[in-house]
Protein backbone atom coordinates (compact mmCIF):
# COMPACT_ATOMS: atom_id res chain seq x y z
CA UNK A 1 0.00 0.00 0.00
CA UNK A 2 1.58 3.25 -1.13
CA UNK A 3 0.88 6.44 0.78
CA UNK A 4 0.51 9.82 -0.84
CA UNK A 5 2.77 12.60 0.35
CA UNK A 6 -0.19 14.17 2.12
CA UNK A 7 -1.07 10.94 3.96
CA UNK A 8 2.57 10.44 4.96
CA UNK A 9 2.76 14.01 6.28
CA UNK A 10 -0.41 13.52 8.34
CA UNK A 11 0.91 10.31 9.88
CA UNK A 12 4.27 11.90 10.69
CA UNK A 13 2.48 14.82 12.32
CA UNK A 14 0.64 12.44 14.62
CA UNK A 15 3.83 10.80 15.84
CA UNK A 16 5.46 12.14 18.99
CA UNK A 17 8.88 11.98 17.35
CA UNK A 18 7.94 13.45 13.98
CA UNK A 19 10.76 15.26 12.18
CA UNK A 20 9.00 18.59 12.67
CA UNK A 21 8.64 18.11 16.43
CA UNK A 22 12.25 16.98 16.73
CA UNK A 23 13.37 20.06 14.78
CA UNK A 24 11.35 22.42 16.99
CA UNK A 25 12.67 20.72 20.10
CA UNK A 26 16.25 21.15 18.93
CA UNK A 27 15.56 24.78 18.07
CA UNK A 28 14.17 25.44 21.55
CA UNK A 29 17.13 23.70 23.19
CA UNK A 30 19.49 25.88 21.17
CA UNK A 31 17.50 28.99 22.06
CA UNK A 32 17.68 28.03 25.73
CA UNK A 33 21.47 27.84 25.45
CA UNK A 34 21.72 31.44 24.28
CA UNK A 35 22.48 34.44 26.46
CA UNK A 36 19.71 36.50 28.02
CA UNK A 37 20.53 39.33 25.65
CA UNK A 38 20.26 37.16 22.53
CA UNK A 39 16.94 35.66 23.67
CA UNK A 40 15.50 39.11 24.36
CA UNK A 41 16.77 40.39 21.03
CA UNK A 42 15.09 37.51 19.21
CA UNK A 43 11.87 37.98 21.20
CA UNK A 44 11.73 41.66 20.24
CA UNK A 45 11.49 40.63 16.60
CA UNK A 46 8.17 38.84 17.16
CA UNK A 47 4.77 40.50 17.05
CA UNK A 48 3.46 40.99 20.58
CA UNK A 49 0.47 38.66 20.05
CA UNK A 50 2.78 35.86 18.91
CA UNK A 51 5.11 36.40 21.85
CA UNK A 52 2.20 36.32 24.30
CA UNK A 53 0.94 33.08 22.75
CA UNK A 54 4.37 31.46 23.02
CA UNK A 55 4.67 32.49 26.67
CA UNK A 56 1.16 31.18 27.36
CA UNK A 57 1.97 27.83 25.74
CA UNK A 58 5.21 27.53 27.74
CA UNK A 59 3.33 28.30 30.96
CA UNK A 60 0.82 25.55 30.16
CA UNK A 61 3.64 23.04 29.60
CA UNK A 62 5.41 24.12 32.80
CA UNK A 63 2.19 23.68 34.76
CA UNK A 64 1.56 20.24 33.26
CA UNK A 65 5.12 19.10 34.04
CA UNK A 66 5.24 20.17 37.70
CA UNK A 67 4.27 16.65 38.65
CA UNK A 68 7.45 15.33 37.04
CA UNK A 69 9.55 17.42 39.41
CA UNK A 70 7.51 16.32 42.42
CA UNK A 71 7.96 12.67 41.41
CA UNK A 72 11.73 13.12 41.07
CA UNK A 73 11.91 14.79 44.48
CA UNK A 74 9.84 11.99 46.05
CA UNK A 75 12.09 9.35 44.53
CA UNK A 76 15.20 11.11 45.80
CA UNK A 77 13.74 11.49 49.30
CA UNK A 78 12.79 7.83 49.36
CA UNK A 79 16.28 6.91 48.17
CA UNK A 80 17.73 9.03 51.00
CA UNK A 81 15.52 7.21 53.53
CA UNK A 82 13.18 10.12 54.28
CA UNK A 83 9.55 9.08 54.75
CA UNK A 84 6.44 11.10 54.03
CA UNK A 85 5.85 11.36 57.78
CA UNK A 86 9.37 12.78 58.26
CA UNK A 87 8.73 15.38 55.58
CA UNK A 88 5.34 16.34 57.00
CA UNK A 89 6.83 16.69 60.50
CA UNK A 90 9.61 18.89 59.14
CA UNK A 91 7.20 21.11 57.21
CA UNK A 92 4.94 21.51 60.24
CA UNK A 93 7.80 22.93 62.33
Amino acid sequence: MALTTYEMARRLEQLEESPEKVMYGKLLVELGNQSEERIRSAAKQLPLATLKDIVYQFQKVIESRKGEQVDLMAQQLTKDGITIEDLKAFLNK
Side-chain angles (χ1 to χ4, degrees):
M1 174 178 138
L3 295 174
T4 65
T5 304
Y6 176 75
E7 291 169 330
M8 183 67 81
R10 289 207 51 192
R11 290 192 182 175
L12 284 173
E13 187 177 86
Q14 293 171 352
L15 296 173
E16 190 60 35
E17 295 295 319
S18 71
E20 182 180 81
K21 290 180 182 178
V22 170
M23 178 195 69
Y24 284 133
K26 288 180 179 181
L27 180 66
L28 291 174
V29 167
E30 188 60 35
L31 179 63
N33 290 331
Q34 300 299 312
S35 69
E36 219 177 286
E37 183 180 315
R38 290 188 105 177
I39 293 171
R40 287 182 184 181
S41 177
K44 287 179 184 177
Q45 296 177 33
L46 295 172
L48 189 55
T50 303
L51 188 58
K52 284 182 179 182
D53 186 49
I54 290 171
V55 169
Y56 173 76
Q57 297 303 330
F58 282 152
Q59 287 173 336
K60 298 275 286 184
V61 171
I62 289 168
E63 191 64 35
S64 72
R65 293 185 64 184
K66 280 184 180 177
E68 290 176 24
Q69 190 66 34
V70 171
D71 287 343
L72 289 173
M73 290 169 57
Q75 289 173 7
Q76 185 62 42
L77 290 172
T78 302
K79 183 179 171 185
D80 293 343
I82 300 172
T83 67
I84 293 173
E85 292 76 23
D86 295 337
L87 184 58
K88 284 179 182 177
F90 176 78
L91 292 173
N92 286 330
K93 287 184 182 181

